[in-house]
Amino acid sequence: MSREYCKIFAAEARAAPGFGEVPEIIPLYLIYRPANNIPYATLEEDLGKPLESYCSREWGCAEAPTASGSSEAMQKCQTFQHWLYQWTNGSFLVTDLAGVDWKMTDVQIATKLRGYQGVKESCFPALLDRFASSHQCNAYCELLGLTPLKGPEAAHPQAKAKGSKSPSAGRKGSQLSPQPQKKGLPSPQGTRKSAPSSKATPQASEPVTTQLLGQPPTQEEGSKAQGMR
């Protein structure tokens, strides 16, 4: 889920002029080893160097690096956090981003409510509140037009400039998932034309049959009856 969110963020960031490189959360593969005592294991790319921490839930407000003193990769990881927090209306956050260059791995997630998007664990509402109060917007947050999470602009989000590339712009508030909503298919019964009932046919033919039986026999039928006597 974190990787898919990061891919959507990368698509919006590349559309912003001058944004540059975008962080990537590398895929994690699940493998099956039937001959092993532990048959299931995860496998990922070896980045070849010690991991550098870009965002950590252990930093807190006082220990978090300032925007001016952090690297470009660290600032963009924090912008990704800001974008994701705003995309999910403060319900989901990716933290503990660490990696080499632009490739991130071993990320952790925090959710506002237990069971959000099917995630039963990682419910840390205090972590999301702490991020909202401690995050400092940088130049990349401004490039994407993200709304500040604190200060007068956060208290009055309607004052945000038009034309923003915020992920929440033009998106319904109930749509928290990046996947497009499926339209309901029309019922096959709605398009089916009403066919005449087959049970009505015998009822309609009964008067005709009675009328035919009530008619006097024709000359051919009378001659056949006399021949049989």
Side-chain angles (χ1 to χ4, degrees):
M1 184 183 295
S2 300
R3 174 173 165 81
E4 291 303 314
Y5 275 128
C6 192
K7 288 164 63 176
I8 300 173
F9 167 75
E12 292 199 6
R14 292 190 180 99
F19 194 90
E21 294 287 337
V22 183
E24 174 195 4
I25 298 178
I26 63 176
L28 187 67
Y29 302 98
L30 179 66
I31 61 174
Y32 176 61
R33 305 172 298 175
N36 198 288
N37 294 332
I38 304 177
Y40 292 97
T42 55
L43 184 68
E44 64 179 355
E45 176 187 356
D46 183 10
L47 299 181
K49 297 179 181 179
L51 302 181
E52 179 181 355
S53 180
Y54 297 112
C55 299
S56 174
R57 55 184 168 179
E58 305 296 336
W59 284 346
C61 303
E63 300 177 4
T66 60
S68 59
S70 55
S71 64
E72 179 183 353
M74 183 178 296
Q75 291 185 45
K76 289 181 177 179
C77 285
Q78 295 173 359
T79 300
F80 168 57
Q81 286 184 305
H82 184 176
W83 175 90
L84 183 56
Y85 182 92
Q86 186 170 328
W87 174 282
T88 59
N89 296 325
S91 299
F92 189 90
L93 185 69
V94 174
T95 184
D96 287 2
L97 286 160
V100 176
D101 296 331
W102 299 104
K103 293 186 176 182
M104 310 297 155
T105 183
D106 196 26
V107 301
Q108 303 296 322
I109 62 175
T111 60
K112 191 79 171 182
L113 301 173
R114 189 177 302 275
Y116 175 82
Q117 295 290 331
V119 181
K120 298 181 180 179
E121 304 295 335
S122 305
C123 181
F124 302 109
L127 184 60
L128 285 98
D129 295 337
R130 187 174 64 181
F131 172 78
S133 62
S134 63
H135 173 72
Q136 299 180 6
C137 288
N138 53 53
Y140 302 104
C141 297
E142 297 177 0
L143 279 178
L144 296 183
L146 300 179
T147 305
L149 301 179
K150 58 182 179 179
E153 294 187 20
H156 303 283
Q158 65 273 15
K160 182 177 57 177
K162 295 183 179 180
S164 169
K165 292 185 177 296
S166 169
S168 60
R171 183 171 55 89
K172 296 181 179 180
S174 59
Q175 181 184 350
L176 298 181
S177 174
Q179 299 178 357
Q181 300 294 324
K182 297 182 180 179
K183 296 182 179 179
L185 297 177
S187 172
Q189 297 180 357
T191 58
R192 184 173 58 187
K193 296 182 179 180
S194 58
S197 175
S198 59
K199 294 181 180 180
T201 305
Q203 297 178 1
S205 61
E206 286 180 1
V208 180
T209 306
T210 305
Q211 183 179 1
L212 293 176
L213 292 176
Q215 292 179 358
T218 60
Q219 182 178 358
E220 183 180 357
E221 291 177 352
S223 59
K224 288 183 180 180
Q226 292 179 0
M228 296 176 62
R229 288 180 180 177

